Structures are given as structure tokens and as C-alpha cells.
Amino acid sequence: MDRLILMRHGKAERDSKSGEDFDRKLTDRGVRESAAMAANLADLGLVPDIALVSAAQRTRETWAAAQGAFPACAARLERSLYLAEERLVRELAEAAGESSRTVMVVGHNPGLQELAIRLLSEGSAPAPLIARAHAAFPTAAAAVFLFDAAGRPAYDGLFFPRG
């Protein structure tokens, strides 16, 4: 894996009809922000080869809104990404990265935010940048990292949706 894109799902409804967190859908704002973030990433040339998508409704809908910006990207639903801890998110991304240069993970906080902070720290990012990621990783946010041949991360972008 040369590049990892972490994208949090878009703004979701507070409750689902079923009462289950897993079934919460995106709001109209969540759909718009997810599509806009994907378009922004694509405009910058940050295009995944594969997207690992949590099986939750809101992440599937985030990918549905985003995939138009990445027409050649394969997607794989990963049930284990639902509310996954940062360690598991990283393991799944690294495994996918064995056969893909750019991996995107569409998932949830706190795991994505915690992984972004860890990768920023491992990559010796400036303290203000780490503090910014620590303060917030809002819905439809994306963090992008490059990896060298030894697997060391380097910051490549932190993107928040435009309110």
C-alpha cells in the first residue's frame, strides 16, 4: 500500500426506524457532504484502487454517494469495520494494501480518528496538525497518508467537509 485514505461516513440520522445504530441512514446533508468530499479527493488525484466499507447502513450510503468520483474503484463490504478499533482498521487496510496501491476505508469514529492520530504521530507530523485531528474528525472528513517502502506513514492531507 502506497496510500491510505480514511473517510468517515457522512452525517447520519439520530435514530433508525429499527432502533438499531447499525441501521441509521444518512441525512440529505450527509449524502451531499460525502459526494463533495469524494469529488474533492478525486480532483486532487487521491483516488482509491479499493474501498473497504463498513457494512453499516450509513457507511454503505456514504460509499454510494462517493463512488461516482471513483468509477474504477472496487469496493468490499467489511462487517468487521463496524465501530472497529484503530488496530483492526489498520490491519484490514494493510491486508488490502498487499494487492492495491491506494486503499480507502469508509468507517466510523472513534476508530478512524484514533488511527489518523496514530499515523500522524508515527509520521512525525507537526503538533498543531495532530492537535487538529485530535480535536475533531467530523462526519465526511478524510485523512490521507503515504507509506514508504518500509511502511512508515507520512501525512498527505486532512480534509474536513465545508459547512
Side-chain angles (χ1 to χ4, degrees), residues 13-58:
E13 62 189 6
R14 192 172 288 281
D15 297 302
S16 68
K17 289 181 183 177
S18 72
E20 298 295 323
D21 178 72
F22 189 84
D23 298 330
R24 290 191 305 137
K25 296 180 179 182
L26 289 187
T27 63
D28 291 342
R29 173 182 149 199
V31 172
R32 285 191 312 273
E33 287 181 342
S34 297
M37 180 59 69
N40 183 49
L41 293 170
D43 287 347
L44 294 169
L46 303 172
V47 177
D49 300 312
I50 188 166
L52 305 179
V53 181
S54 163
Q57 184 68 30
R58 61 191 176 275

Coordinates of all heavy atoms in Angstrom, one line a residue, residues 13-58:
E13 N -28.7 10.2 10.4 CA -29.9 10.4 11.3 C -29.6 10.0 12.7 O -28.7 9.1 12.9 CB -31.1 9.7 10.7 CG -31.0 8.2 10.7 CD -32.2 7.5 9.9 OE1 -33.0 8.2 9.3 OE2 -32.2 6.3 10.0
R14 N -30.3 10.6 13.6 CA -30.0 10.3 15.1 C -30.5 8.9 15.4 O -29.8 8.2 16.2 CB -30.7 11.3 15.9 CG -30.3 11.3 17.4 CD -30.9 12.5 18.1 NE -30.3 13.8 17.9 CZ -29.2 14.2 18.3 NH1 -28.4 13.4 19.1 NH2 -28.8 15.4 18.0
D15 N -31.6 8.5 14.9 CA -32.2 7.2 15.2 C -32.6 6.5 13.9 O -32.9 7.2 12.9 CB -33.4 7.3 16.1 CG -33.0 7.9 17.5 OD1 -32.1 7.3 18.2 OD2 -33.5 8.9 17.9
S16 N -32.7 5.2 13.9 CA -33.2 4.4 12.8 C -34.6 4.0 13.1 O -35.0 3.9 14.2 CB -32.3 3.3 12.4 OG -32.4 2.3 13.5
K17 N -35.3 3.6 12.0 CA -36.6 3.0 12.2 C -36.6 1.7 13.1 O -37.5 1.5 13.8 CB -37.3 2.7 10.9 CG -37.7 4.0 10.1 CD -38.4 3.7 8.8 CE -38.7 5.0 8.1 NZ -39.3 4.8 6.8
S18 N -35.5 1.0 12.9 CA -35.4 -0.3 13.7 C -35.0 -0.1 15.1 O -35.0 -1.0 15.9 CB -34.4 -1.2 13.0 OG -33.1 -0.7 13.2
G19 N -34.4 1.1 15.4 CA -33.9 1.4 16.7 C -32.4 1.0 16.8 O -31.8 1.2 17.9
E20 N -31.9 0.4 15.8 CA -30.5 -0.1 15.8 C -29.5 0.9 15.2 O -29.8 1.5 14.2 CB -30.4 -1.4 15.0 CG -31.2 -2.6 15.6 CD -30.7 -3.0 17.0 OE1 -29.5 -3.0 17.2 OE2 -31.6 -3.4 17.8
D21 N -28.4 1.1 15.9 CA -27.4 2.0 15.4 C -26.9 1.6 14.0 O -26.7 2.5 13.2 CB -26.2 2.1 16.4 CG -25.1 3.0 15.9 OD1 -25.3 4.2 15.9 OD2 -24.1 2.4 15.5
F22 N -26.8 0.3 13.8 CA -26.3 -0.2 12.5 C -27.1 0.2 11.3 O -26.6 0.3 10.2 CB -26.3 -1.7 12.6 CG -25.6 -2.4 11.5 CD1 -24.2 -2.6 11.5 CD2 -26.3 -2.9 10.4 CE1 -23.5 -3.3 10.5 CE2 -25.7 -3.6 9.4 CZ -24.3 -3.8 9.4
D23 N -28.4 0.5 11.6 CA -29.4 0.8 10.5 C -29.6 2.3 10.3 O -30.4 2.6 9.4 CB -30.7 0.1 10.8 CG -30.6 -1.4 10.9 OD1 -29.8 -2.0 10.2 OD2 -31.4 -2.0 11.7
R24 N -28.8 3.2 11.0 CA -29.0 4.6 10.8 C -28.6 5.0 9.3 O -27.6 4.6 8.8 CB -28.2 5.4 11.8 CG -28.8 5.3 13.2 CD -28.1 6.3 14.1 NE -26.7 6.2 14.2 CZ -25.9 7.2 14.2 NH1 -26.3 8.5 14.2 NH2 -24.6 7.1 14.3
K25 N -29.5 5.8 8.7 CA -29.2 6.3 7.3 C -28.6 7.6 7.3 O -28.6 8.4 8.3 CB -30.6 6.3 6.6 CG -31.2 5.0 6.4 CD -32.5 5.1 5.7 CE -33.2 3.8 5.5 NZ -34.4 3.8 4.8
L26 N -28.0 8.0 6.2 CA -27.5 9.4 6.0 C -28.6 10.4 5.9 O -29.7 10.1 5.4 CB -26.7 9.5 4.7 CG -25.3 8.8 4.7 CD1 -24.6 9.2 3.4 CD2 -24.5 9.1 5.9
T27 N -28.4 11.6 6.4 CA -29.3 12.7 6.1 C -29.0 13.2 4.7 O -28.0 12.8 4.1 CB -29.1 13.8 7.2 OG1 -27.7 14.3 7.0 CG2 -29.3 13.3 8.6
D28 N -29.8 14.1 4.2 CA -29.5 14.7 2.9 C -28.2 15.4 3.0 O -27.4 15.4 2.0 CB -30.6 15.7 2.6 CG -32.0 15.0 2.2 OD1 -32.0 13.8 2.0 OD2 -33.0 15.7 2.3
R29 N -27.9 16.1 4.1 CA -26.6 16.8 4.3 C -25.5 15.8 4.2 O -24.4 16.0 3.6 CB -26.6 17.5 5.6 CG -25.2 18.1 5.9 CD -25.2 18.8 7.3 NE -23.9 18.7 7.9 CZ -23.7 18.8 9.2 NH1 -24.6 19.1 10.0 NH2 -22.4 18.7 9.6
G30 N -25.7 14.6 4.8 CA -24.6 13.5 4.8 C -24.3 13.1 3.4 O -23.2 12.8 3.0
V31 N -25.4 12.9 2.6 CA -25.2 12.5 1.2 C -24.4 13.6 0.4 O -23.4 13.3 -0.3 CB -26.6 12.2 0.5 CG1 -26.4 12.0 -1.0 CG2 -27.3 11.0 1.2
R32 N -24.8 14.8 0.6 CA -24.1 15.9 -0.1 C -22.7 16.0 0.3 O -21.8 16.2 -0.6 CB -24.9 17.3 0.1 CG -26.2 17.5 -0.6 CD -26.7 18.9 -0.5 NE -26.6 19.4 0.9 CZ -27.6 19.3 1.8 NH1 -28.7 18.6 1.5 NH2 -27.5 19.8 3.0
E33 N -22.4 16.0 1.6 CA -21.0 16.1 2.0 C -20.2 15.0 1.6 O -19.0 15.2 1.3 CB -21.0 16.3 3.6 CG -21.5 17.7 4.0 CD -21.5 17.9 5.5 OE1 -21.4 16.9 6.3 OE2 -21.5 19.0 5.9
S34 N -20.7 13.8 1.6 CA -20.0 12.6 1.2 C -19.6 12.7 -0.2 O -18.4 12.4 -0.6 CB -20.8 11.3 1.5 OG -21.0 11.2 2.9
A35 N -20.5 13.1 -1.1 CA -20.3 13.2 -2.5 C -19.2 14.3 -2.8 O -18.3 14.2 -3.6 CB -21.6 13.5 -3.3
A36 N -19.4 15.4 -2.0 CA -18.5 16.6 -2.2 C -17.1 16.2 -1.8 O -16.1 16.6 -2.4 CB -19.0 17.8 -1.4
M37 N -16.9 15.5 -0.7 CA -15.6 15.1 -0.2 C -14.9 14.1 -1.2 O -13.8 14.3 -1.5 CB -15.7 14.4 1.2 CG -14.3 13.9 1.7 SD -13.1 15.3 1.9 CE -13.9 16.2 3.3
A38 N -15.7 13.2 -1.7 CA -15.1 12.3 -2.7 C -14.7 13.0 -4.0 O -13.6 12.8 -4.5 CB -16.2 11.2 -3.1
A39 N -15.5 14.0 -4.4 CA -15.2 14.8 -5.6 C -13.9 15.6 -5.3 O -13.0 15.7 -6.2 CB -16.3 15.7 -6.0
N40 N -13.8 16.1 -4.2 CA -12.6 16.9 -3.8 C -11.3 16.0 -3.8 O -10.3 16.4 -4.4 CB -12.8 17.5 -2.4 CG -11.6 18.4 -2.0 OD1 -11.1 19.2 -2.7 ND2 -11.1 18.2 -0.8
L41 N -11.5 14.8 -3.2 CA -10.3 13.9 -3.2 C -9.9 13.5 -4.6 O -8.8 13.5 -5.0 CB -10.7 12.6 -2.4 CG -10.9 12.8 -0.9 CD1 -11.4 11.6 -0.3 CD2 -9.5 13.2 -0.2
A42 N -10.9 13.2 -5.5 CA -10.7 12.8 -6.8 C -10.0 14.0 -7.6 O -9.1 13.8 -8.4 CB -12.0 12.4 -7.5
D43 N -10.5 15.2 -7.4 CA -9.9 16.4 -8.1 C -8.4 16.5 -7.7 O -7.6 17.0 -8.5 CB -10.6 17.6 -7.7 CG -12.0 17.8 -8.4 OD1 -12.3 17.0 -9.3 OD2 -12.8 18.6 -7.9
L44 N -8.0 16.1 -6.5 CA -6.7 16.2 -6.0 C -5.8 14.9 -6.5 O -4.7 14.8 -6.1 CB -6.6 16.3 -4.5 CG -7.2 17.6 -4.0 CD1 -7.4 17.6 -2.5 CD2 -6.3 18.8 -4.4
G45 N -6.5 14.0 -7.2 CA -5.8 12.8 -7.6 C -5.7 11.7 -6.5 O -4.9 10.8 -6.7
L46 N -6.5 11.9 -5.5 CA -6.5 10.9 -4.4 C -7.6 9.9 -4.6 O -8.7 10.0 -4.1 CB -6.6 11.7 -3.1 CG -5.6 12.7 -2.8 CD1 -5.9 13.5 -1.5 CD2 -4.2 12.1 -2.6
V47 N -7.3 9.0 -5.5 CA -8.3 8.0 -6.0 C -7.9 6.6 -5.5 O -6.8 6.1 -5.8 CB -8.4 8.1 -7.5 CG1 -9.3 7.1 -8.1 CG2 -8.7 9.5 -8.0
P48 N -8.8 5.9 -4.8 CA -8.5 4.6 -4.3 C -8.6 3.5 -5.4 O -9.4 3.7 -6.4 CB -9.6 4.4 -3.2 CG -10.7 5.2 -3.7 CD -10.1 6.4 -4.3
D49 N -7.9 2.5 -5.2 CA -8.0 1.3 -6.1 C -9.1 0.4 -5.5 O -9.8 -0.3 -6.2 CB -6.7 0.5 -6.1 CG -5.6 1.3 -6.7 OD1 -5.8 1.9 -7.8 OD2 -4.5 1.4 -6.1
I50 N -9.1 0.3 -4.1 CA -10.1 -0.5 -3.4 C -10.6 0.3 -2.2 O -9.9 1.1 -1.6 CB -9.6 -1.8 -3.0 CG1 -10.7 -2.7 -2.4 CG2 -8.4 -1.7 -2.0 CD1 -10.3 -4.2 -2.2
A51 N -11.9 0.2 -2.0 CA -12.5 0.8 -0.8 C -13.1 -0.3 0.1 O -13.8 -1.2 -0.4 CB -13.7 1.7 -1.2
L52 N -12.7 -0.3 1.3 CA -13.2 -1.2 2.4 C -14.3 -0.4 3.1 O -14.0 0.7 3.7 CB -12.1 -1.6 3.3 CG -10.8 -2.2 2.7 CD1 -9.8 -2.6 3.8 CD2 -11.2 -3.5 1.9
V53 N -15.5 -0.9 3.0 CA -16.6 -0.1 3.5 C -17.3 -0.9 4.6 O -17.7 -2.1 4.5 CB -17.7 0.1 2.4 CG1 -18.8 0.9 2.8 CG2 -17.0 0.8 1.2
S54 N -17.5 -0.3 5.8 CA -18.2 -0.9 6.9 C -19.6 -1.3 6.3 O -20.2 -0.6 5.5 CB -18.4 0.1 8.0 OG -19.4 -0.3 8.9
A55 N -20.1 -2.4 6.8 CA -21.4 -2.8 6.4 C -22.6 -2.1 7.0 O -23.8 -2.3 6.6 CB -21.6 -4.3 6.7
A56 N -22.4 -1.1 7.8 CA -23.5 -0.3 8.4 C -24.2 0.5 7.3 O -23.6 0.8 6.3 CB -23.0 0.6 9.5
Q57 N -25.4 0.8 7.5 CA -26.2 1.5 6.5 C -25.6 2.8 6.1 O -25.5 3.2 5.0 CB -27.7 1.7 7.0 CG -28.6 2.4 6.0 CD -28.9 1.5 4.8 OE1 -28.9 0.3 4.9 NE2 -29.1 2.1 3.7
R58 N -25.2 3.6 7.1 CA -24.6 4.9 6.9 C -23.3 4.9 6.1 O -23.1 5.8 5.3 CB -24.5 5.8 8.1 CG -23.6 5.2 9.2 CD -23.8 6.0 10.5 NE -23.0 5.5 11.6 CZ -23.4 4.5 12.4 NH1 -24.6 3.8 12.2 NH2 -22.7 4.1 13.4

